[in-house]
C-alpha cells in the first residue's frame, strides 16, 4: 500500500441523500493527484441510512475509512476525531454536502507544497443562500474578529488543509467546547487562502438552522474572548452610575424644590429593565462557568462505536489503532 500523503476528513450527519455523490467526487479528485490518500468519514450519530451506506463504501474501497460515533457529539467534535485518526502528511477537512467543492482540494495541496502549513478556503460568493443568511454570516465573522485577539480569517469555514505538524499540535488542545477553525488560527503557522465559490447544497437539508447557528456563534465568541464579561462589567458600571445620578436628582427635587418625581408606572418599567440587564449579565457569566464545569468533568470528547478499515498493525503512514487508543485519553474507542 502506498504511503498516505493526504487524509480527507468528512464529518457526516444524516447525509444519506448526498453520500454516494460526495464519495464519487472526492475519490475522482484524489485519484487524479496520483499519490496515496485516505477518505475518513466520521458518522456523527446519524439516524438515517448514512452509516449503512458508509459501511458499503468501506467494504468496496480500502482507502475509505469509517469512524462511527456511539451518538451525536457535534460537528466540531467529528472533525477533531477525523484529525486524530488521520495518518497523512496533510489533512483536508470538508463537509459532505458538496457546498465546498472537492475540486478546490488540488489548489490547496499546491499551496501546501509551496510551504504553507494551513490553507483555508475563503468564500468569494455563496450560491443559493438568502440575504438574511449572507448578512448574518458576514456580520458574525467580523464581530468575532473584533472581539478576539486571535486573527481568525473572515468568510471562511472548516474547509481547509492543515499540515501534519499542525494536526499534531491540535491534538494537544483538549478543550471540549471546540471551535476548530479558531483553534487552528490560534496555533499560528504559515497560512494562506484559496478563494472559491460556495455552491448550493447538493441534496438534503441544512444541519445548521438558525438556533444551532446562534449557539455555534456564541460558542465561538466565548471560546476566544473574555470581552462579553468585560462588557457586563462596563454596562453594569454605567447602569449603576445612571442610577446614582437619578437618585441625586430625585433627592434634589425633594429637598430643594417644590417638585417631586411621580409615576409608579415609569419606576416599575425602569426596575424591570434593570432587572433584565442583571439577569442577562448573569447569563453571560453562567455561560463561562458552564464551560469551566465541562472542562472539570474530564469526560471523553467522543466515544467511537466502530472504526472500519483502520489497521491494528499500522499500514505505512498510518498509526496502529491500538496504539492510537492508548495515545488519546480524551476519547474512547469501544
Amino acid at each position: 500500500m502506498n504511503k498516505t500523503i493526504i487524509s480527507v476528513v468528512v464529518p457526516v450527519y444524516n447525509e444519506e441523500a448526498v453520500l454516494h455523490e460526495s464519495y464519487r467526487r472526492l475519490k475522482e479528485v484524489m485519484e487524479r493527484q496520483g499519490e496515496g490518500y485516505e477518505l475518513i468519514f466520521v458518522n456523527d450519530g446519524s439516524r438515517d441510512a448514512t452509516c449503512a451506506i458508509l459501511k458499503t463504501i468501506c467494504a468496496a474501497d480500502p482507502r475509505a475509512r469509517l469512524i462511527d460515533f456511539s451518538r451525536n457529539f457535534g460537528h466540531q467534535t467529528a472533525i477533531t476525531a477525523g484529525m486524530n485518526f488521520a495518518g497523512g502528511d496533510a489533512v483536508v477537512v470538508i463537509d459532505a454536502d458538496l457546498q465546498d467543492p472537492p475540486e478546490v482540494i488540488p489548489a490547496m495541496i499546491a499551496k501546501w507544497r509551496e510551504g504553507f502549513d494551513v490553507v483555508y478556503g475563503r468564500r468569494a460568493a455563496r450560491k443559493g443562500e438568502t440575504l438574511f443568511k449572507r448578512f448574518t454570516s458576514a456580520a458574525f465573522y467580523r464581530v468575532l474578529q473584533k472581539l478576539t485577539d486571535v486573527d481568525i480569517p473572515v468568510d471562511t469555514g472548516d474547509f481547509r488543509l492543515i499540515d501534519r505538524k499542525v494536526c499534531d499540535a491540535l491534538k494537544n488542545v483538549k478543550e471540549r467546547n471546540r471551535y476548530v477553525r479558531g483553534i487552528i488560527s490560534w496555533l499560528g503557522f504559515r497560512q494562506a487562502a484559496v478563494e472559491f465559490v460556495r455552491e448550493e447544497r447538493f441534496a438534503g437539508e441544512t444541519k445548521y438552522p438558525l438556533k444551532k447557528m446562534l449557539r455555534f456563534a456564541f460558542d465561538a465568541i466565548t471560546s476566544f474572548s473574555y470581552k462579553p464579561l468585560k462588557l457586563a462589567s462596563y454596562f453594569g458600571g454605567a447602569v449603576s452610575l445612571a442610577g446614582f445620578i437619578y437618585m441625586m436628582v430625585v433627592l434634589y427635587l425633594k429637598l430643594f424644590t417644590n417638585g417631586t418625581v411621580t409615576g409608579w408606572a415609569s419606576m416599575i418599567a425602569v426596575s424591570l429593565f434593570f432587572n433584565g440587564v442583571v439577569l442577562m449579565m448573569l447569563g453571560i457569566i453562567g455561560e463561562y462557568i458552564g464551560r469551566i464545569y465541562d472542562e472539570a468533568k474530564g469526560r471523553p470528547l467522543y466515544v467511537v462505536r466502530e472504526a472500519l478499515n483502520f489497521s491494528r498493525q499500522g499500514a505505512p503512514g498510518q498509526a496502529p489503532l491500538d496504539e492510537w487508543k492508548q495515545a488519546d485519553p480524551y476519547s474512547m474507542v469501544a
Side-chain angles (χ1 to χ4, degrees), residues 108-180:
M108 291 182 167
I109 295 174
K111 282 284 187 183
W112 171 60
R113 295 199 183 284
E114 290 177 15
F116 291 100
D117 302 309
V118 177
V119 184
Y120 51 85
R122 175 178 286 147
R123 300 155 183 169
R126 306 163 71 107
K127 292 183 178 179
E129 293 186 351
T130 64
L131 180 63
F132 175 77
K133 170 68 174 176
R134 293 197 300 270
F135 172 78
T136 54
S137 179
F140 160 69
Y141 288 116
R142 283 151 183 82
V143 169
L144 180 63
Q145 192 176 59
K146 292 293 184 182
L147 288 177
T148 64
D149 297 325
V150 179
D151 184 18
I152 302 175
V154 300
D155 301 324
T156 63
D158 292 307
F159 183 32
R160 64 190 58 219
L161 176 150
I162 65 171
D163 186 79
R164 165 51 52 189
K165 57 178 170 285
V166 181
C167 187
D168 290 341
L170 189 63
K171 291 179 182 179
N172 294 319
V173 180
K174 303 301 183 181
E175 62 191 68
R176 281 158 175 78
N177 294 286
R178 303 178 76 82
Y179 183 60
V180 174

Side-chain angles (χ1 to χ4, degrees), residues 245-265:
I245 293 172
Y246 183 72
M247 182 181 68
M248 292 295 100
V249 171
V250 171
L251 288 174
Y252 174 81
L253 293 174
K254 177 67 176 178
L255 297 174
F256 300 105
T257 71
N258 294 324
T260 58
V261 178
T262 60
W264 287 104

Side-chain angles (χ1 to χ4, degrees), residues 18 35 38 64 85 196 198 202 204 214 284 291 323 333:
V18 72
E35 55 193 8
E38 61 182 354
F85 270 79
F196 70 99
R198 197 166 199 237
F202 180 81
L214 290 174
I284 293 175
R291 278 157 175 71
E323 177 185 319
V333 180

Side-chain angles (χ1 to χ4, degrees), residues 218-273:
F218 204 76
D219 282 343
I221 292 170
T222 52
S223 292
F224 286 91
S225 177
Y226 297 110
K227 288 184 180 178
L229 288 175
K230 293 181 180 179
L231 178 64
S233 299
Y234 297 153
F235 197 75
V239 168
S240 297
L241 178 61
F244 178 77
I245 293 172
Y246 183 72
M247 182 181 68
M248 292 295 100
V249 171
V250 171
L251 288 174
Y252 174 81
L253 293 174
K254 177 67 176 178
L255 297 174
F256 300 105
T257 71
N258 294 324
T260 58
V261 178
T262 60
W264 287 104
S266 60
M267 294 299 295
I268 292 296
V270 170
S271 177
L272 289 175
F273 170 75

